[in-house]
Structure formats: C-alpha cells, structure tokens
Amino acid sequence: MTDRFAATFAKPRPALVAFITGGDGNTAANLDALVAGGADVIELGMPFTDPMADGPAIQAANLRSLAKGTTTADLFAIAAAFRRRHPDTPLVLMGYANPMTIRGPEWFAAECAKAGVDGVICVDIPSEEDAELGPALRAAGVDLIRLATPTTDAARLPDVLNGAGGFLYYVSVAGITGQQQAAQASIDEAVARLKAATDLPVAVGFGVRTPEQASPIAKVADGVVVGSAFIDIIAQHGDAAAPYVETFTRSLADAIHGAKEIAA
Amino acid sequence: MTDLPNSLRTGPDARGHFGQFGGRYVAETLMPLILDLERHYRAAQADPAFKAEFDYLLEHYVGRPSPLWFAERLTEHLSGAKIYLKREDLNHTGAHKINNCIGQILLAKRMGKTKIIAETGAGQHGVATATVAALFGLPCTIFMGAVDVARQQPNVFRMKLLGAEVVAVESGAKTLKDAMNEALRHWVANVHDTFYIIGTVAGPHPYPELVRDFQSVIGDEAREQILEAEGRLPDMLIAPVGGGSNAIGLFHPFLDDADVEIVGVEAAGEGLDKKHAASLAGGRPGILHGNKTYLLQDEDGQITEAHSISAGLDYPGIGPEHSWLHEIGRVRYEPVTDAEALASFQKLTRLEGIIPALESAHAIAAAERIAPTLGKDKIIIVNCSGRGDKDIFTVADALGVEL
C-alpha cells in the first residue's frame, strides 16, 4: 500500500472516496473542490468510448470528455498537476482495459508512477487476466485496486485478493454505476465477510448518492465511494460546478466522517 | 482429428486464449457467471442427449443440412475454378445465425435461466434469438442501436411479432457496439435469471468457443457434401467476416487440411483509407467486449466507428480466433469494398437466381476476384451465409432506386 493510502486509512474515521470523470467540466477546479470539501481519496475516471459497466450519468460524462478531445496524455497531466497541488491526497485512476494497456502495461504503470498516482482500478480486468496489468503496476509501486461484488463467492475471493492493493472496492449491487441502492443488511453482511478475509480497507460503492445513504454504510466500512451524484452536478453546472461540488462534498464528508461517532 | 499434437483445432486453451487473443475481460460481477457457463457447457458437450436435441432441432426446425449448390453459371461466367455455394441462406430465418441460437437456448434451458437477452446490428441475430425464444416460450429482450432500429424496421417488426421486446439503444454511436454495451449492462444487473445469447464468435470465453462449435455444422456438412459431389476436398474456402461466426463455422473443420486454402473477407467499406470495418487490415490488438482481439481504434485505445454497407459487418472488432488465424497465417483475410459487394450482390442474383445477403456478397466478390486466377480443375466453396431480402432497401438506396 502506498504511504498516502496508509495514512488515509489509518485515520480513526471512514473515508469519502469521490469519483469524477477526467476532462468532463473544469476537472482541476472540481478536484480542488473535492479536497476542500473533505474528500479523502480521489478517483479520476479515464474516459473510454465504451464504458460498459457505467450507467447513463457516467456514460455521458465519458462522451462529453472525449468530445472535448481529452487524451490519455491530458489525463496524466491532470493527475500530475493534482499531485503537485495536493501532495497528501491519494489519487486513483479508474477506467477500462483498452486505454490502460494499449501502449503496453509497463508504459501505463510508469506514467502512473511519474504522475503520482497511488492506485488503479480497471473495471474489465478480473483476477483471471491479471497478467495484462497487475505485474507492471506492482513493479512500479502502484496499487492495483480490485473489485469484489455480490456475485464474488467464497471460492473466488482469495483469487480476487491475490495481488490486490490500496483498498478493496466492494461493488454493492450487481449492476452498473449510479442506479439502484443495495439493501443495508446485504452491505453489512458483505463488508463483514470481506474484512474477515483481508487486512485491506474496504470501501463500498455503486448506487450511493446522498449523505443519508452514505452514513449507515460508513458505520461498517472503511470508505464510501460516491460518483454519479458528482457527475450529475457537473453535468448541470458545467464549468461553473466547483462551488456546488464543494458544498455537496462537505455534506457527504460530514455524514461519513461522523458516522462511527454517532454509532459509538 | 483434434487429438493431433499439431492440430490447429484444439484452441482455446483452458483460460480461453487463442495465442494472445481471446480471454475473459469482464467485470467481476460477470466473472462467476462466465465460469458457471463454462462448467455447464463442458457438461453439455459430454451429454449425448444435448447433442441429440441440438441435431434434432437443426434437422427438423432449421431445415439442415443446407445444400451445397454448384453455381454453374457463375463458374462459366468467371471461367476459372468451380464455385460451390454453401446455402446458409436457406435456413429458417434466412441465415446461419439460427444454428448458434439453437445451441445457446438449449444451454440456457440446462442452466435454468428464464430470460433471454441478445444484441443485434442488422437484426438477423435478433430475429434468430427472438425465434428460438418463442419456440421455447421464454421472454426475450433484444438490444439494438437506435440508428439500426431506424434503418432496419422490417426486422424490428419481425422481432416484435415473435414476442420480443426491442430496446432502442441511445448511447454512443447507437449501433451494434453500443447495443452490445447495453446488453452487457443489462446482463450484469440480471445475472441471476438471464442468459445472454451472443451472436458471434466474440465476447468473453467460453462464447467464442461455443459459438464456433455450434456453427461448425456448416463446415462439417460442407466437407461431407463436397466429398460426395467431387470425391475430394476443395482447394479453397471463402467466407465473409464481421465478428466471424459463419466463417469460423465453415473454416474450423478444415483448419488441419493444409491443402485447403482459406480466405476470410473483411468489409472495406468506402476503402481502407476511408471509412471501413476491416479490423485486421486497419486495426490492431486491444480489449473490448470481454476479449482481446484486433480492433479499430485510435492511438489512445478509443474505439473508432466502423462502416460497411452491410450492417452485419459493421462492427469495429473481430472474433479472437480469427485474429489468431490471421497472425499465424493459416487464414488469409482480404478486403472487399461496399461497391464491389454491391456489384456481386446483383451479379449472383442475375446469374444464379439467388439474392445473397450483403454480408455474403462480400465473399462472392472475393470469389469473383480469385476464381479466374485458378485453373478450371480447382474447387472453391463460398459461404452464402444469408439471404438478401433484408437488404433490398439498402441496395435500392445505393443504386438510387425509389421503392
């Protein structure tokens, strides 16, 4: 685990993990707003033409970004500039296999390390295809963050955890981003099961859109991931979204950071 | 045959790879289901009852075997190799697509799945899927790009008549690849009760393998039929390749016959320097829709739009086994343009009284190019993969005819 992840998850409070799509709206200003509002970990989405695990909001954000001409080089420039402005906030790139591997995994891993990226989430490289990206990232000191889902059974879980770093991302619904919310009981059960199997922090995402939804999840998890709700704000306010992003981030951060105190 | 140490027919390996191609590049949510599908497919392969039911339906419902037709007038016209047409256009629903749908719905039944989904471009696979869903009484949802819905209205209506729900996909470019994205999104949210009938030899393992196996009836029959007609194997096979299911179905039983030359035909659209759908000629390896294969893409790995006058070839990728056969040189892939296919569409119609699908017309065009360069003692089998009734509006439009 990178030092930034270790420091973030060592805090005695759950983390807000915030996702936005790179190149959609004023990304630098929105990233600053996320940090100012209290986000603990940033997931920067790499736009792809065919985001088949994403719901309508993030699909549209991908296409808006690409329509503006966002390139992979632009993404790494955004990441590197973020790292200069925010030396302590963990930064994760999230996206799809083809843009990550097209120049070879070593190239991608080296660019991540150079830009100060702490972790990578690749939606469509399961543990079975780890060779495509995992070894190069680990060699470059970048964490490969794995996804566990409601369909990940006990037999598979060790394979999913093998080679995983940073934190474990629990996809709480079998589905796509930004759609329905999982039942809290199923999240409680899953997080307990995952935490029994790994020392990695467990963050829960998919379908979490409000402080009210985030709070009970934060009671049991080490982090809560919110994405589509930020994307909706950016879609609505365009280049002037940063103040709205910051206000919304603060409401989420307050709910998540305080969740375990209320419980105690 | 497949036990030969040097056989080209033993792929994929246990992880679903054909050389560097293929694999299982799917979201974690789908991975357990893919593994489950593979287990059930292995069990079905070992079960004589499964094969018996498949064979029964192919014979009595699809109408197999499809004839191998000696195209005498086309042969005379070209004054070269003898041309035989494998008449997949005569199958129920008018194309080879039904072979695979029969196999997959039998698998769905074995797995206890109660809902069927599929993607479709021109609508042929959608119609074939809706057909088998009707036959088995299962609810069926077909995902189709909104652009394709608009330009393929007869097939949309056919699917609805068959009881399927047709979802017009508004995301992305609103064509086949977006329909596949949307089908995957639906599947991931409904894995517990839904079977996804993929229409071509692409997608995550084991789909490329099982679709190939179900389509190999084409080549198995052709082999038997040409031995009956000519007493020997052909010198060449030619088939059109979009995703490549009809082609691999014809090719696979002949891969180990070194004397049989094999040609796959890619859609060169307006030309390889313009808009086209030739993934091998104009693309490079990448990862999309669950497998690694040749893709049309830019330097950042963003997928670019394909173009072909034939909606069935209008896809920016190709099945992974074709990518492998291309790289090892066992199959030669040649481009044919929209204009060439359009000319061959009309030529075959006039010379043989067979209106081929525009997909199949690409293979006819390649045969027209190659046959005159071969001696009259040579034999070519061309896969007439579908009938062209669905294409008459497209062809009329291209010829400037108002219907």
Side-chain angles (χ1 to χ4, degrees), chain A residues 5-50:
Chain A
F5 277 134
T8 298
F9 287 107
K11 290 178 188 166
R13 61 178 209 200
L16 166 59
V17 182
F19 171 95
I20 62 172
T21 298
D24 175 35
N26 186 341
T27 303
N30 292 334
L31 290 173
D32 290 348
L34 291 173
V35 176
D40 302 283
V41 177
I42 303 296
E43 284 181 13
L44 183 62
M46 291 182 70
F48 182 45
T49 40
D50 296 84

CSV table of all heavy atoms in Angstrom, one decimal, chain A residues 5-50:
chain,number,residue,atom,x,y,z
A,5,PHE,N,-2.1,6.1,0.9
A,5,PHE,CA,-3.3,5.2,1.3
A,5,PHE,C,-3.2,4.8,2.8
A,5,PHE,O,-4.1,4.9,3.5
A,5,PHE,CB,-3.3,3.9,0.5
A,5,PHE,CG,-3.9,4.0,-0.8
A,5,PHE,CD1,-3.3,3.5,-2.0
A,5,PHE,CD2,-5.2,4.6,-1.0
A,5,PHE,CE1,-3.9,3.6,-3.2
A,5,PHE,CE2,-5.8,4.7,-2.2
A,5,PHE,CZ,-5.1,4.2,-3.3
A,6,ALA,N,-2.0,4.4,3.2
A,6,ALA,CA,-1.8,4.0,4.6
A,6,ALA,C,-2.2,5.1,5.6
A,6,ALA,O,-2.9,4.9,6.6
A,6,ALA,CB,-0.3,3.6,4.8
A,7,ALA,N,-1.7,6.3,5.3
A,7,ALA,CA,-2.0,7.5,6.2
A,7,ALA,C,-3.5,7.8,6.2
A,7,ALA,O,-4.1,8.0,7.3
A,7,ALA,CB,-1.2,8.7,5.7
A,8,THR,N,-4.1,7.7,5.0
A,8,THR,CA,-5.6,8.0,4.9
A,8,THR,C,-6.4,7.0,5.7
A,8,THR,O,-7.3,7.4,6.5
A,8,THR,CB,-6.0,8.0,3.5
A,8,THR,OG1,-5.3,9.0,2.8
A,8,THR,CG2,-7.5,8.2,3.3
A,9,PHE,N,-6.1,5.7,5.5
A,9,PHE,CA,-6.9,4.7,6.2
A,9,PHE,C,-6.5,4.4,7.6
A,9,PHE,O,-7.2,3.7,8.3
A,9,PHE,CB,-7.0,3.4,5.3
A,9,PHE,CG,-7.8,3.6,4.1
A,9,PHE,CD1,-7.2,3.7,2.8
A,9,PHE,CD2,-9.2,3.6,4.2
A,9,PHE,CE1,-8.0,3.8,1.7
A,9,PHE,CE2,-9.9,3.8,3.0
A,9,PHE,CZ,-9.3,3.9,1.8
A,10,ALA,N,-5.4,5.0,8.1
A,10,ALA,CA,-5.0,4.9,9.5
A,10,ALA,C,-5.8,5.9,10.3
A,10,ALA,O,-5.9,5.7,11.6
A,10,ALA,CB,-3.5,5.2,9.6
A,11,LYS,N,-6.5,6.9,9.7
A,11,LYS,CA,-7.3,7.8,10.5
A,11,LYS,C,-8.5,7.1,11.1
A,11,LYS,O,-9.0,6.1,10.5
A,11,LYS,CB,-7.8,8.9,9.6
A,11,LYS,CG,-6.7,9.9,9.1
A,11,LYS,CD,-7.3,10.9,8.2
A,11,LYS,CE,-6.2,11.8,7.5
A,11,LYS,NZ,-6.7,12.6,6.4
A,12,PRO,N,-8.9,7.5,12.3
A,12,PRO,CA,-9.9,6.8,13.0
A,12,PRO,C,-11.3,7.2,12.5
A,12,PRO,O,-12.2,7.3,13.3
A,12,PRO,CB,-9.7,7.3,14.5
A,12,PRO,CG,-9.2,8.6,14.3
A,12,PRO,CD,-8.3,8.6,13.1
A,13,ARG,N,-11.5,7.3,11.3
A,13,ARG,CA,-12.8,7.7,10.7
A,13,ARG,C,-12.9,7.1,9.3
A,13,ARG,O,-11.9,7.0,8.6
A,13,ARG,CB,-13.0,9.2,10.6
A,13,ARG,CG,-11.9,9.9,9.8
A,13,ARG,CD,-12.1,11.3,9.6
A,13,ARG,NE,-11.5,11.8,8.3
A,13,ARG,CZ,-11.2,13.0,8.1
A,13,ARG,NH1,-11.3,14.0,9.0
A,13,ARG,NH2,-10.7,13.4,6.9
A,14,PRO,N,-14.1,6.8,8.8
A,14,PRO,CA,-14.2,6.3,7.5
A,14,PRO,C,-13.9,7.4,6.4
A,14,PRO,O,-14.0,8.6,6.7
A,14,PRO,CB,-15.7,5.9,7.4
A,14,PRO,CG,-16.2,6.0,8.8
A,14,PRO,CD,-15.4,6.9,9.5
A,15,ALA,N,-13.5,6.9,5.2
A,15,ALA,CA,-13.1,7.8,4.2
A,15,ALA,C,-14.2,8.1,3.2
A,15,ALA,O,-14.9,7.2,2.8
A,15,ALA,CB,-11.8,7.3,3.5
A,16,LEU,N,-14.2,9.3,2.6
A,16,LEU,CA,-15.1,9.6,1.5
A,16,LEU,C,-14.2,9.4,0.2
A,16,LEU,O,-13.2,10.1,0.1
A,16,LEU,CB,-15.6,11.0,1.5
A,16,LEU,CG,-16.2,11.6,0.2
A,16,LEU,CD1,-17.4,10.7,-0.3
A,16,LEU,CD2,-16.7,13.0,0.4
A,17,VAL,N,-14.6,8.5,-0.6
A,17,VAL,CA,-13.9,8.3,-1.9
A,17,VAL,C,-14.7,8.9,-3.0
A,17,VAL,O,-15.9,8.5,-3.2
A,17,VAL,CB,-13.7,6.8,-2.1
A,17,VAL,CG1,-12.9,6.5,-3.4
A,17,VAL,CG2,-12.9,6.1,-0.9
A,18,ALA,N,-14.2,9.9,-3.6
A,18,ALA,CA,-15.0,10.7,-4.6
A,18,ALA,C,-14.5,10.4,-6.0
A,18,ALA,O,-13.3,10.5,-6.3
A,18,ALA,CB,-15.0,12.1,-4.3
A,19,PHE,N,-15.5,10.1,-6.9
A,19,PHE,CA,-15.2,9.9,-8.3
A,19,PHE,C,-15.7,11.0,-9.2
A,19,PHE,O,-16.8,11.4,-9.1
A,19,PHE,CB,-15.8,8.6,-8.8
A,19,PHE,CG,-15.7,8.3,-10.2
A,19,PHE,CD1,-14.7,7.5,-10.8
A,19,PHE,CD2,-16.7,8.9,-11.1
A,19,PHE,CE1,-14.6,7.3,-12.1
A,19,PHE,CE2,-16.6,8.6,-12.5
A,19,PHE,CZ,-15.6,7.8,-13.0
A,20,ILE,N,-14.8,11.5,-10.1
A,20,ILE,CA,-15.3,12.3,-11.2
A,20,ILE,C,-14.5,11.8,-12.5
A,20,ILE,O,-13.5,11.2,-12.4
A,20,ILE,CB,-15.1,13.8,-11.0
A,20,ILE,CG1,-13.6,14.2,-10.9
A,20,ILE,CG2,-15.9,14.3,-9.8
A,20,ILE,CD1,-13.4,15.7,-10.9
A,21,THR,N,-15.1,12.1,-13.6
A,21,THR,CA,-14.5,11.7,-14.9
A,21,THR,C,-13.5,12.8,-15.4
A,21,THR,O,-13.9,14.0,-15.4
A,21,THR,CB,-15.6,11.5,-16.0
A,21,THR,OG1,-16.5,10.5,-15.5
A,21,THR,CG2,-15.0,11.2,-17.3
A,22,GLY,N,-12.3,12.4,-15.7
A,22,GLY,CA,-11.3,13.4,-16.1
A,22,GLY,C,-11.7,14.0,-17.4
A,22,GLY,O,-12.2,13.3,-18.4
A,23,GLY,N,-11.5,15.3,-17.5
A,23,GLY,CA,-11.8,16.0,-18.8
A,23,GLY,C,-13.3,16.4,-19.0
A,23,GLY,O,-13.6,17.0,-20.0
A,24,ASP,N,-14.1,16.1,-18.0
A,24,ASP,CA,-15.5,16.5,-18.0
A,24,ASP,C,-15.7,17.7,-17.2
A,24,ASP,O,-15.5,17.6,-16.0
A,24,ASP,CB,-16.4,15.3,-17.6
A,24,ASP,CG,-17.9,15.7,-17.5
A,24,ASP,OD1,-18.3,16.5,-18.4
A,24,ASP,OD2,-18.6,15.2,-16.6
A,25,GLY,N,-16.0,18.8,-17.7
A,25,GLY,CA,-16.1,20.1,-17.0
A,25,GLY,C,-14.7,20.6,-16.6
A,25,GLY,O,-13.7,20.2,-17.2
A,26,ASN,N,-14.6,21.5,-15.6
A,26,ASN,CA,-13.3,22.0,-15.2
A,26,ASN,C,-12.7,21.1,-14.2
A,26,ASN,O,-12.9,21.3,-13.0
A,26,ASN,CB,-13.5,23.4,-14.7
A,26,ASN,CG,-12.1,24.1,-14.4
A,26,ASN,OD1,-11.1,23.4,-14.2
A,26,ASN,ND2,-12.1,25.4,-14.3
A,27,THR,N,-12.0,20.1,-14.7
A,27,THR,CA,-11.6,19.0,-13.8
A,27,THR,C,-10.7,19.5,-12.7
A,27,THR,O,-10.8,19.1,-11.5
A,27,THR,CB,-10.9,17.9,-14.6
A,27,THR,OG1,-11.8,17.4,-15.6
A,27,THR,CG2,-10.5,16.7,-13.7
A,28,ALA,N,-9.7,20.3,-13.0
A,28,ALA,CA,-8.8,20.8,-11.9
A,28,ALA,C,-9.6,21.5,-10.8
A,28,ALA,O,-9.3,21.2,-9.6
A,28,ALA,CB,-7.7,21.7,-12.5
A,29,ALA,N,-10.5,22.4,-11.2
A,29,ALA,CA,-11.2,23.1,-10.2
A,29,ALA,C,-12.1,22.2,-9.4
A,29,ALA,O,-12.3,22.3,-8.1
A,29,ALA,CB,-12.1,24.2,-10.8
A,30,ASN,N,-12.7,21.2,-10.1
A,30,ASN,CA,-13.6,20.2,-9.3
A,30,ASN,C,-12.8,19.3,-8.4
A,30,ASN,O,-13.3,19.0,-7.3
A,30,ASN,CB,-14.4,19.4,-10.4
A,30,ASN,CG,-15.4,20.2,-11.1
A,30,ASN,OD1,-15.9,21.2,-10.6
A,30,ASN,ND2,-15.7,19.7,-12.3
A,31,LEU,N,-11.6,19.0,-8.8
A,31,LEU,CA,-10.7,18.2,-7.9
A,31,LEU,C,-10.4,18.9,-6.7
A,31,LEU,O,-10.4,18.4,-5.5
A,31,LEU,CB,-9.5,17.7,-8.7
A,31,LEU,CG,-9.7,16.7,-9.8
A,31,LEU,CD1,-8.3,16.4,-10.5
A,31,LEU,CD2,-10.2,15.3,-9.2
A,32,ASP,N,-10.0,20.2,-6.9
A,32,ASP,CA,-9.7,21.1,-5.7
A,32,ASP,C,-10.9,21.2,-4.8
A,32,ASP,O,-10.8,21.2,-3.5
A,32,ASP,CB,-9.3,22.5,-6.2
A,32,ASP,CG,-7.9,22.4,-6.8
A,32,ASP,OD1,-7.2,21.4,-6.7
A,32,ASP,OD2,-7.5,23.4,-7.5
A,33,ALA,N,-12.1,21.3,-5.4
A,33,ALA,CA,-13.3,21.4,-4.6
A,33,ALA,C,-13.6,20.1,-3.8
A,33,ALA,O,-14.1,20.2,-2.7
A,33,ALA,CB,-14.5,21.7,-5.5
A,34,LEU,N,-13.3,19.0,-4.4
A,34,LEU,CA,-13.5,17.7,-3.7
A,34,LEU,C,-12.6,17.7,-2.4
A,34,LEU,O,-13.0,17.3,-1.3
A,34,LEU,CB,-13.1,16.5,-4.6
A,34,LEU,CG,-14.1,16.2,-5.7
A,34,LEU,CD1,-13.5,15.1,-6.6
A,34,LEU,CD2,-15.5,15.8,-5.2
A,35,VAL,N,-11.3,18.1,-2.6
A,35,VAL,CA,-10.4,18.1,-1.5
A,35,VAL,C,-10.8,19.1,-0.4
A,35,VAL,O,-10.9,18.8,0.8
A,35,VAL,CB,-8.9,18.4,-2.0
A,35,VAL,CG1,-8.0,18.4,-0.8
A,35,VAL,CG2,-8.5,17.3,-2.9
A,36,ALA,N,-11.2,20.3,-0.9
A,36,ALA,CA,-11.6,21.4,0.0
A,36,ALA,C,-12.8,20.9,0.8
A,36,ALA,O,-13.0,21.3,2.0
A,36,ALA,CB,-11.9,22.7,-0.7
A,37,GLY,N,-13.7,20.2,0.2
A,37,GLY,CA,-14.9,19.8,0.8
A,37,GLY,C,-14.7,18.6,1.8
A,37,GLY,O,-15.7,18.2,2.5
A,38,GLY,N,-13.6,18.0,1.7
A,38,GLY,CA,-13.3,16.9,2.7
A,38,GLY,C,-13.2,15.5,2.1
A,38,GLY,O,-13.2,14.5,2.9
A,39,ALA,N,-13.1,15.4,0.8
A,39,ALA,CA,-12.9,14.0,0.2
A,39,ALA,C,-11.5,13.5,0.6
A,39,ALA,O,-10.5,14.3,0.7
A,39,ALA,CB,-13.0,14.1,-1.3
A,40,ASP,N,-11.5,12.2,1.0
A,40,ASP,CA,-10.2,11.6,1.4
A,40,ASP,C,-9.4,10.9,0.3
A,40,ASP,O,-8.2,10.9,0.4
A,40,ASP,CB,-10.5,10.6,2.5
A,40,ASP,CG,-11.3,11.2,3.7
A,40,ASP,OD1,-10.7,11.9,4.5
A,40,ASP,OD2,-12.5,11.1,3.7
A,41,VAL,N,-10.1,10.4,-0.6
A,41,VAL,CA,-9.5,9.7,-1.7
A,41,VAL,C,-10.2,10.1,-3.0
A,41,VAL,O,-11.4,10.3,-3.0
A,41,VAL,CB,-9.6,8.1,-1.6
A,41,VAL,CG1,-9.0,7.4,-2.8
A,41,VAL,CG2,-9.0,7.6,-0.3
A,42,ILE,N,-9.4,10.4,-4.0
A,42,ILE,CA,-9.9,10.8,-5.3
A,42,ILE,C,-9.8,9.7,-6.3
A,42,ILE,O,-8.7,9.1,-6.5
A,42,ILE,CB,-9.2,12.1,-5.9
A,42,ILE,CG1,-9.2,13.2,-4.9
A,42,ILE,CG2,-9.8,12.5,-7.2
A,42,ILE,CD1,-10.5,13.8,-4.6
A,43,GLU,N,-10.9,9.4,-7.0
A,43,GLU,CA,-10.9,8.5,-8.2
A,43,GLU,C,-11.1,9.4,-9.4
A,43,GLU,O,-12.2,10.0,-9.5
A,43,GLU,CB,-12.0,7.5,-8.1
A,43,GLU,CG,-11.8,6.3,-7.1
A,43,GLU,CD,-12.9,5.3,-7.1
A,43,GLU,OE1,-13.7,5.4,-8.0
A,43,GLU,OE2,-12.9,4.5,-6.2
A,44,LEU,N,-10.1,9.3,-10.3
A,44,LEU,CA,-10.2,10.1,-11.5
A,44,LEU,C,-10.5,9.1,-12.7
A,44,LEU,O,-9.8,8.2,-12.9
A,44,LEU,CB,-8.9,10.8,-11.8
A,44,LEU,CG,-8.8,11.7,-13.0
A,44,LEU,CD1,-9.8,12.9,-12.9
A,44,LEU,CD2,-7.4,12.3,-13.1
A,45,GLY,N,-11.7,9.3,-13.3
A,45,GLY,CA,-12.1,8.4,-14.3
A,45,GLY,C,-11.4,8.7,-15.6
A,45,GLY,O,-11.3,9.8,-16.0
A,46,MET,N,-10.9,7.7,-16.2
A,46,MET,CA,-10.3,7.8,-17.6
A,46,MET,C,-11.4,7.6,-18.6
A,46,MET,O,-11.9,6.5,-18.7
A,46,MET,CB,-9.2,6.7,-17.8
A,46,MET,CG,-7.9,6.9,-17.0
A,46,MET,SD,-6.8,5.6,-17.4
A,46,MET,CE,-6.3,6.1,-19.1
A,47,PRO,N,-11.7,8.6,-19.4
A,47,PRO,CA,-12.8,8.4,-20.3
A,47,PRO,C,-12.5,7.3,-21.4
A,47,PRO,O,-11.4,7.1,-21.8
A,47,PRO,CB,-12.9,9.7,-21.0
A,47,PRO,CG,-11.6,10.4,-20.8
A,47,PRO,CD,-11.1,9.9,-19.5
A,48,PHE,N,-13.6,6.6,-21.7
A,48,PHE,CA,-13.5,5.5,-22.7
A,48,PHE,C,-14.8,5.6,-23.6
A,48,PHE,O,-15.8,5.9,-23.1
A,48,PHE,CB,-13.4,4.1,-22.0
A,48,PHE,CG,-13.2,3.0,-22.9
A,48,PHE,CD1,-12.3,3.0,-24.0
A,48,PHE,CD2,-13.9,1.8,-22.7
A,48,PHE,CE1,-12.2,1.9,-24.9
A,48,PHE,CE2,-13.8,0.7,-23.5
A,48,PHE,CZ,-12.9,0.7,-24.6
A,49,THR,N,-14.6,5.2,-24.8
A,49,THR,CA,-15.8,5.3,-25.8
A,49,THR,C,-16.8,4.3,-25.4
A,49,THR,O,-18.0,4.5,-25.7
A,49,THR,CB,-15.3,4.9,-27.2
A,49,THR,OG1,-14.3,3.8,-27.1
A,49,THR,CG2,-14.7,6.1,-27.9
A,50,ASP,N,-16.5,3.2,-24.7
A,50,ASP,CA,-17.4,2.1,-24.5
A,50,ASP,C,-17.4,1.7,-23.0
A,50,ASP,O,-17.0,0.5,-22.7
A,50,ASP,CB,-17.1,0.9,-25.4
A,50,ASP,CG,-17.2,1.2,-26.8
A,50,ASP,OD1,-16.3,1.8,-27.4
A,50,ASP,OD2,-18.3,1.0,-27.4
